[in-house]
Amino acid sequence: MTVNRALRLVAGIFILVSVLLAVYVNKNWWWFTAFIGVNLIQSAFTNWCPMMTILKKIGLKDDSC
């Protein structure tokens, strides 16, 4: 699995989990969903995301490799 595919997987899981937590636990979890969205938007412009750094450190390969 590459970094980009893993990043999309992690983002999708985080969004689904945060929506479920907001619906069933506490509405303040919507802030976490918003944080994920803002982070995805900034990574589209800067081509940098903290999760990409983490995924590279655990050994996933970049698409260019």
Side-chain angles (χ1 to χ4, degrees), residues 2-8 10 39 42-43 46-62:
T2 63
V3 171
N4 285 331
R5 291 185 73 174
L7 178 65
R8 288 193 297 257
V10 169
N39 197 8
Q42 80 72 28
S43 71
T46 64
N47 200 27
W48 179 80
C49 177
M51 183 57 72
M52 287 177 76
T53 306
I54 294 168
L55 293 171
K56 286 177 186 175
K57 283 188 180 183
I58 64 170
L60 292 179
K61 300 214 183 297
D62 229 345

Side-chain angles (χ1 to χ4, degrees), residues 14-46:
F14 279 7
I15 289 171
L16 288 175
V17 168
S18 67
V19 167
L20 289 172
L21 287 168
V23 170
Y24 293 112
V25 177
N26 188 330
K27 292 182 181 182
N28 284 326
W29 282 102
W30 289 120
W31 290 108
F32 185 57
T33 309
F35 170 76
I36 297 167
V38 168
N39 197 8
L40 288 170
I41 291 168
Q42 80 72 28
S43 71
F45 290 105
T46 64

